[in-house]
Amino acid sequence: MNIREQIENIEYQILHPRASKSREAKRSKPEKECDLRTKYQRDRDRILHSKAFRRLKHKTQVFLSPEGDHYRTRMTHTLEVAQIGRTIARALKLNEDLVEAVALGHDLGHTPFGHAGEFLLKEGISYHHAKQSLRVVEKLANDGKGLNLTVEVKDGILKHSKGKSPLISEGNMPKTLEGEIVRIADKIAYINHDLEDAVRARLISENDIPRDIRSVLGETKSERITTIVKSIIYSTIDNNYQHIVMEEKIYKNMYQLRQWLFDNVYLAKPVVEELEKGKGILKALYEYYLKNYHLIPYYEKYLQLWGEYDPKQAAVDYVAGMTDRFALKTYEKIFIPKGWHIL
């Protein structure tokens, strides 16, 4: 019995009956098993070593091209989601490796400049960052070959975005409890770290948060996260693992805090002004590459590899994959006149 098989056996011994077992995971394309790592561990590693994951460090979370070194990026957000998700999974005896793999891959499809590109690209093509994240791992990563991730990881990536509700909602629920964990861990992470970044940026202060919300969730980021995570763990146990849930009072206040953030941070004038600039840059880049798709570096290669590649989709793939600074550099190269240097 090799190490992977030992780990798979241990999962059946220590994980909850409703936990996803890596031995039962499926891939669209069967492949030889690893002697050391389970399927979910290999999925996590493939995402972690992908170029798309590395680009997250230069993609905006909320504040575009922040001057300070301590503001969040898509990468730090992703790592915080993974940490919160693993804490919940460990306490519930669910599969931490599946949670981590989904968390690391959930935002790979985000455009530069926060949500600026998402609003823009909806005008040009059916686009959502969760769908684009799935497209990245299925087709674009690994030089157009995809990562051949398990069905369970891909399902969690696609369905991490909540629609109307992050918990038991009308549809589009992840197939696994681990996927449900990432779905709510994403919200816990961004609500709390975006709040902290907004305080750092002096858009708001901690005391501006409504007192009734603070009295329920806590006065600090740590207290708020602890309150929500504990509620999820104990409520899910009480619910007999039917779904990942939390107390109604906690849920209500968490979403009141989220709405307060929208009103006072995400829609604040300084943030919106920069967001509009980002939209303008991405609109110009998208339209340029839609007309000049042959200039997309990998267009011909992927066309030959896949047999077909719609120019509109190619333009979306290229622009969505850019980092903030690469988008700015490309925009400058294409649209900003250069002065003549005369000796």
Side-chain angles (χ1 to χ4, degrees):
M1 184 179 295
N2 60 35
I3 292 175
R4 169 185 53 80
E5 292 169 332
Q6 293 177 40
I7 295 172
E8 290 172 344
N9 285 343
I10 290 172
E11 287 182 353
Y12 284 97
Q13 297 169 19
I14 66 174
L15 295 185
H16 189 273
R18 289 215 61 206
S20 299
K21 312 301 192 299
S22 55
R23 180 179 292 163
E24 301 169 14
K26 306 295 182 183
R27 298 191 189 279
S28 299
K29 300 176 184 177
E31 58 185 47
K32 183 180 178 180
E33 296 286 359
C34 176
D35 290 341
L36 301 177
R37 297 166 297 161
T38 68
K39 294 186 184 74
Y40 296 145
Q41 290 171 341
R42 294 181 80 186
D43 283 2
R44 173 202 61 204
D45 294 350
R46 289 174 184 182
I47 294 169
L48 188 64
H49 290 286
S50 69
K51 289 184 286 187
F53 182 80
R54 293 196 294 276
R55 289 197 298 269
L56 293 178
K57 67 181 177 180
H58 294 301
K59 288 195 176 189
T60 289
Q61 177 65 19
V62 173
F63 299 98
L64 274 60
S65 301
E67 296 277 334
D69 294 332
H70 301 116
Y71 291 97
R72 267 73 173 193
T73 64
R74 284 287 167 199
M75 178 173 284
T76 56
H77 162 70
T78 294
L79 295 176
E80 291 184 39
V81 173
Q83 179 271 316
I84 292 170
R86 291 195 65 162
T87 296
I88 296 170
R90 186 180 301 117
L92 291 173
K93 296 183 179 180
L94 297 176
N95 199 310
E96 292 182 53
D97 293 326
L98 174 54
V99 167
E100 186 175 27
V102 174
L104 294 182
H106 83 283
D107 266 358
L108 295 179
H110 255 299
T111 65
F113 310 127
H115 284 275
E118 184 146 325
F119 297 139
L120 161 70
L121 294 176
K122 283 179 179 176
E123 300 173 10
I125 195 170
S126 177
Y127 178 89
H128 187 281
H129 77 269
K131 291 181 180 179
Q132 188 69 12
S133 295
L134 180 63
R135 180 171 173 79
V136 168
V137 299
E138 282 193 323
K139 297 208 71 168
L140 299 175
N142 193 25
D143 295 325
K145 302 180 185 69
L147 300 178
N148 194 29
L149 303 183
T150 59
V151 171
E152 294 80 4
V153 170
K154 292 192 294 183
D155 176 78
I157 289 173
L158 177 63
K159 297 176 181 177
H160 81 269
S161 190
K162 62 178 176 51
K164 293 184 178 180
S165 170
L167 299 173
I168 302 176
S169 67
E170 303 75 24
N172 201 39
M173 284 294 290
K175 295 179 180 179
T176 66
L177 291 175
E178 290 83 358
E180 291 186 34
I181 286 176
V182 174
R183 185 156 154 158
I184 189 58
D186 182 30
K187 314 305 177 292
I188 297 170
Y190 79 67
I191 287 171
N192 285 283
H193 66 49
D194 289 354
L195 178 58
E196 187 175 55
D197 280 359
V199 171
R200 180 181 297 277
R202 298 180 182 177
L203 282 176
I204 59 170
S205 71
E206 288 275 3
N207 291 331
D208 292 332
I209 303 170
R211 182 62 192 166
D212 56 340
I213 295 177
R214 285 185 284 150
S215 66
V216 173
L217 299 183
E219 295 288 341
T220 67
K221 179 188 73 172
S222 178
E223 289 177 356
R224 289 189 292 270
I225 293 176
T226 299
T227 297
I228 297 169
V229 167
K230 280 185 175 181
S231 178
I232 289 172
I233 292 168
Y234 295 126
S235 296
T236 299
I237 293 172
D238 291 341
N239 188 49
N240 199 27
Y241 286 74
Q242 294 304 303
H243 286 285
I244 302 301
V245 295
M246 72 174 77
E247 299 162 76
E248 180 65 27
K249 183 178 181 181
I250 303 300
Y251 170 85
K252 179 180 177 181
N253 277 272
M254 187 182 82
Y255 267 75
Q256 285 178 344
L257 178 57
R258 179 179 181 272
Q259 185 58 53
W260 186 86
L261 270 174
F262 267 94
D263 295 338
N264 294 275
V265 176
Y266 303 138
L267 299 179
K269 184 178 179 181
V271 175
V272 172
E273 287 177 348
E274 296 304 304
L275 187 70
E276 289 301 317
K277 294 177 186 177
K279 284 184 182 182
I281 291 172
L282 293 186
K283 185 176 189 298
L285 289 174
Y286 171 72
E287 292 176 348
Y288 176 82
Y289 283 108
L290 183 59
K291 294 177 182 177
N292 301 279
Y293 55 88
H294 59 284
L295 297 178
I296 296 173
Y298 50 74
Y299 178 78
E300 291 296 332
K301 177 181 178 181
Y302 286 8
L303 180 62
Q304 293 178 7
L305 183 65
W306 299 337
E308 60 179 357
Y309 197 8
D310 178 59
K312 182 179 284 189
Q313 183 65 62
V316 170
D317 289 341
Y318 191 47
V319 174
M322 292 179 176
T323 62
D324 292 23
R325 64 183 185 179
F326 184 75
L328 288 169
K329 183 178 179 180
T330 304
Y331 180 87
E332 181 180 2
K333 180 180 178 181
I334 295 172
F335 297 108
I336 304 299
K338 294 178 177 62
W340 290 95
H341 182 65
I342 301 175
L343 296 175

